Amino acid sequence: MTLITTTTRVASTEQLYGEVFDWLVDESVLLDRGLLSEWLDLLTPDATYQVPVRDIRSRFDTTERRTGEYFHYDETRSSLAVRLRRIAEPTAWAEDPRSTTRHLVSNLRVTRLESGDVLAESYLVLLRHRGQQLDYEILSGERRDVLRRGDDGRLLLASRVVELDRSSLNMVNLAVFL
Amino acid sequence: MEDLVVDGEERKISAKIMCDSHLFALESDRVFGHSWVFVAHESEIPQAGDFVTRHIGRDPVIVSRGRDGQVGVVLNSCSHRGSQVCAAESGNARTFRCPYHGWSYRGTGELVGVPAEREMYGRQLDRTRLGLKNARVGTYHSLVFATWDPDIPDLLTSLGDMAFYLDTVFGLTDEGMEVLGPPQRWVVNANWKFASDNFAADAYHVYTAHQSVATIGLVRAVSMADAQGTMANVADVAGGHAVGCNRLFEPGTPSDVALKSLVGMFRLPPESVAEIQKNLMSEQVEMLATFPPGVGTIFPNFSWLRAPLPGDIGGAPAPATTIRIWHPLAVDRTEVWSWALVHRGTSEQVRRDAGRAVARTFGSTGMLEADDAEIWTLMQRGLSGSQGQTRWLRYLSRTDADPTWPGPGSAHTGFQTEDNQWHFYRRWAHLMSSSDLT
């Protein structure tokens, strides 16, 4: 992941920064309250959503990393809509009872892109709790979001890549969205 | 172990084999120490020096490709004081150096460096005795298995009746298959055998556990009545391996028409038909054209699934092939390792579609498998209490083997049976009983 050092960085004192942060906070509310169709409306029609699989190598291994072609999520808006339809079914056992989640977003860095889109890089900590289990499931990572203004001026998610910190997820499944 | 896996009018297995940590500790040696255990796909380590770190049972191993191109599997534990000599999950290395005192080894296990050897030991150590512990390695269609047992039959013999079926999945084309990058991994709080059992062709659960994907129209809903006659469960009785086959074509479809259609579903080029006919025996081609093998378990903890699956509602099916390790972490805790495979030479578009089709159906976020994993944890919790452990898992359905089945193994055709899974547990009981209780 490249550190953004160009002059297009948006300072936290700028209005755009606050707008992006509010967007992320509002998105978390939708995810955590299970308002998934409203969440889907935050995506552009051609949005992409990816959570790559990672593996952990030695710091000194200079050989080329294999290109990741396999993901936990490799989705389009329409495939996400399919997943949402399924979760709404009474026989979608994995999410009944629904996981309680907290999508905690912080360390936001905002950059204006030449295309006019906005790059929003942030840290994500997901706390997830399932039904009768005693422990929390915790997942952390970094989101790289591209936000784009819709016709009405609202910010929409055009693409998201979530780089997870672990290769092995300490979870029964990843039946929730990041 | 006869009292845990009980034959008779009612076939049943004790809940203890899923919940008892003493049995789990025994399994680690008796089952995983004396079986061929899947560790890697050869395409994960294409170049000399490439390695991945895996497990045989609970023992960490390094799987690497040597300078001679051969795949070696060694215990990831220094011969001096036992530290793991490799902490990465994958990479490329000439040698593995223990971080404690610096002893170094090749991927073959050969000890090649001991710092201050003369000063410390006053002589050159006998390096032939001090290598990393080697496992026996066997490969079949690029699937790499390893075992610590010097005496069990070779891999092909141990695969028994299943080699025939593995050919029809992994051995279709000259170039074979490759993985799409590193595996998904996630942890399910349930015993590993629930998963092996499920992939030993439990088609019965599909109607309830996976009802949601049929209701939304992602996969075609077939009533249980209509499914009669469309399933074949085949067991390698001695080995405890299993495969499930599903009829994809109407009876009477000419074999060449069916094969052509199948090649289309797997998005292989049309010339693959001739390649498949060349690489497979006619009985295997016939099976692909009638009941293509779709899911299976190689005892103890390797499973696979291959099916044309849609990545989207109404979308064209993509060739979804996934392979699995159900890695035992504890009696009630299993790490799942899941790869997506494609035929080598497949176009970028098909690779993409195949990876997506696998991930959207099976795997950490899979719309089918997410529910399986949830249910296995419910089973674990249901059985783990003191009353739960007095209870039995029941494998009541049994049918006579179909003498007309064209392939090897004990085949049960019609609807789902529980014979496959029963033989899996018989194999488990056999291995658990076969060593001295010391």
Side-chain angles (χ1 to χ4, degrees):
Chain A
M1 191 161 295
T2 51
L3 200 66
I4 303 298
T5 54
T6 59
T7 53
T8 54
R9 171 79 186 263
V10 177
S12 61
T13 49
E14 290 188 46
Q15 191 189 348
L16 177 62
Y17 185 98
E19 187 183 357
V20 170
F21 190 73
D22 287 348
W23 189 95
L24 289 168
V25 168
D26 291 349
E27 185 208 7
S28 289
V29 170
L30 296 180
L31 287 171
D32 293 339
R33 291 187 183 166
L35 300 171
L36 294 178
S37 50
E38 288 85 344
W39 175 70
L40 199 64
D41 285 339
L42 296 180
L43 274 60
T44 63
D46 60 348
T48 60
Y49 176 94
Q50 293 183 319
V51 183
V53 169
R54 72 166 297 180
D55 68 341
I56 294 168
R57 295 196 155 204
S58 163
R59 285 187 291 147
F60 308 105
D61 193 325
T62 55
T63 53
E64 204 179 325
R65 287 180 89 87
R66 288 162 294 169
T67 331
E69 293 184 277
Y70 190 35
F71 299 80
H72 293 287
Y73 281 116
D74 183 12
E75 307 298 322
T76 61
R77 182 167 164 146
S78 83
S79 72
L80 286 169
V82 173
R83 289 179 176 276
L84 265 45
R85 274 175 69 185
R86 192 194 80 82
I87 290 173
E89 287 295 318
T91 55
W93 313 107
E95 277 299 298
D96 185 27
R98 199 164 70 76
S99 297
T100 48
T101 58
R102 298 289 164 195
H103 288 74
L104 306 178
V105 181
S106 71
N107 300 56
L108 173 64
R109 287 173 290 141
V110 179
T111 308
R112 280 192 190 88
L113 299 175
E114 274 176 27
S115 61
D117 294 343
V118 177
L119 174 68
E121 296 168 293
S122 60
Y123 291 2
L124 173 70
V125 175
L126 173 76
L127 298 177
R128 181 184 182 202
H129 187 261
R130 294 279 307 123
Q132 304 165 40
Q133 80 189 14
L134 295 174
D135 301 323
Y136 274 94
E137 293 174 343
I138 301 174
L139 206 53
S140 63
E142 186 162 342
R143 278 176 174 170
R144 197 163 62 243
D145 298 337
V146 174
L147 299 174
R148 182 173 301 158
R149 297 226 179 256
D151 294 336
D152 58 359
R154 278 194 316 154
L155 287 175
L156 296 170
L157 183 67
S159 74
R160 167 168 292 168
V161 177
V162 187
E163 301 282 357
L164 297 174
D165 294 334
R166 0 183 359 152
S167 51
S168 181
L169 313 183
N170 195 20
M171 292 189 171
V172 59
N173 54 40
L174 191 52
V176 295
F177 300 103
L178 300 175
Chain B
M1 300 298 158
E2 293 299 313
D3 53 335
L4 297 175
V5 177
V6 181
D7 206 350
E9 198 151 310
E10 269 192 17
R11 288 170 167 175
K12 56 185 185 179
I13 65 158
S14 167
K16 287 191 178 64
I17 81 165
M18 303 299 186
C19 308
D20 184 304
S21 41
H22 177 63
L23 287 174
F24 179 79
L26 281 179
E27 245 177 24
S28 179
D29 171 43
R30 294 185 182 182
V31 173
F32 289 95
H34 300 279
S35 301
W36 285 99
V37 175
F38 177 79
V39 289
H41 191 273
E42 282 205 71
S43 63
E44 294 183 273
I45 46 171
Q47 308 294 331
D50 285 350
F51 70 87
V52 290
T53 50
R54 298 287 150 80
H55 298 86
I56 298 177
R58 290 152 76 206
D59 289 304
V61 295
I62 304 168
V63 183
S64 67
R65 191 174 293 276
R67 288 179 293 189
D68 59 357
Q70 294 297 303
V71 176
V73 178
V74 292
L75 186 66
N76 187 1
S77 175
C78 182
S79 303
H80 181 218
R81 299 284 172 82
S83 167
Q84 290 197 6
V85 296
C86 178
E89 292 174 342
S90 70
N92 184 285
R94 293 169 66 89
T95 56
F96 298 98
R97 185 163 183 263
C98 179
Y100 202 8
H101 303 95
W103 290 27
S104 322
Y105 305 87
R106 280 198 224 290
T108 53
E110 185 191 351
L111 177 62
V112 291
V114 177
E117 191 171 12
R118 296 229 167 260
E119 293 82 347
M120 272 301 292
Y121 301 110
R123 62 193 160 88
Q124 180 146 27
L125 297 174
D126 179 1
R127 296 190 175 190
T128 59
R129 287 180 44 250
L130 293 171
L132 299 176
K133 182 181 168 69
N134 276 101
R136 285 171 72 194
V137 180
T139 60
Y140 196 66
H141 295 308
S142 297
L143 304 167
V144 183
F145 293 78
T147 183
W148 302 120
D149 191 328
D151 299 321
I152 59 171
D154 64 23
L155 176 65
L156 184 59
T157 308
S158 299
L159 290 173
D161 298 327
M162 287 302 117
F164 177 96
Y165 301 95
L166 295 180
D167 292 345
T168 69
V169 178
F170 303 100
L172 298 183
T173 60
D174 294 346
E175 289 187 277
M177 301 188 85
E178 61 184 334
V179 298
L180 287 177
Q184 294 180 348
R185 291 161 60 192
W186 69 100
V187 176
V188 180
N189 288 331
N191 189 275
W192 63 274
K193 292 188 288 300
F194 289 125
S196 286
D197 168 326
N198 178 276
F199 275 66
D202 191 312
Y204 188 29
H205 82 291
V206 173
Y207 294 91
T208 307
H210 303 310
Q211 195 185 329
S212 63
V213 290
T215 312
I216 66 165
L218 184 70
V219 298
R220 195 162 54 95
V222 180
S223 74
M224 293 201 207
D226 288 343
Q228 179 63 32
T230 68
M231 297 180 197
N233 282 19
V234 189
D236 176 300
V237 173
H241 316 307
V243 58
C245 308
N246 286 288
R247 199 177 65 204
L248 274 189
F249 305 102
E250 289 305 312
T253 308
S255 149
D256 56 331
V257 173
L259 195 60
K260 219 165 147 182
S261 165
L262 195 77
V263 160
M265 280 185 213
F266 294 156
R267 310 259 292 266
L268 284 163
E271 54 269 26
S272 306
V273 170
E275 206 172 321
I276 292 168
Q277 284 166 333
K278 169 177 70 81
N279 288 334
L280 299 185
M281 296 184 291
S282 59
E283 296 87 340
Q284 291 172 313
V285 173
E286 194 59 34
M287 184 155 302
L288 270 178
T290 49
F291 282 81
V295 63
T297 289
I298 300 296
F299 186 93
N301 65 333
F302 172 73
S303 296
W304 57 271
L305 182 141
R306 185 270 309 270
L309 287 171
D312 210 340
I313 291 176
T321 306
T322 176
I323 57 173
R324 292 305 162 80
I325 294 174
W326 314 109
H327 168 49
L329 296 173
V331 69
D332 56 358
R333 213 162 151 74
T334 301
E335 185 179 52
V336 185
W337 297 58
S338 171
W339 292 258
L341 265 63
V342 292
H343 293 283
R344 278 185 204 275
T346 297
S347 73
E348 287 302 317
Q349 186 61 47
V350 176
R351 292 171 77 90
R352 186 86 194 258
D353 292 348
R356 285 175 157 182
V358 172
R360 289 173 188 172
T361 52
F362 290 87
S364 55
T365 67
M367 285 183 271
L368 287 93
E369 192 156 4
D371 288 336
D372 287 317
E374 174 73 12
I375 291 165
W376 299 334
T377 68
L378 295 176
M379 293 161 81
Q380 190 72 40
R381 285 206 291 262
L383 295 170
S384 288
S386 57
Q387 288 304 312
Q389 290 199 41
T390 67
R391 296 181 68 82
W392 301 90
L393 284 76
R394 296 172 198 283
Y395 295 80
L396 308 176
S397 150
R398 66 164 108 193
T399 55
D400 293 327
D402 179 350
T404 68
W405 180 252
S410 172
H412 304 264
T413 52
F415 195 65
Q416 156 84 27
T417 77
E418 289 167 326
D419 299 273
N420 275 7
Q421 294 150 325
W422 173 250
H423 294 305
F424 171 87
Y425 292 109
R426 291 292 295 172
R427 175 65 182 168
W428 180 89
H430 171 75
L431 286 174
M432 289 291 280
S433 311
S434 57
S435 311
D436 293 329
L437 271 166
T438 51

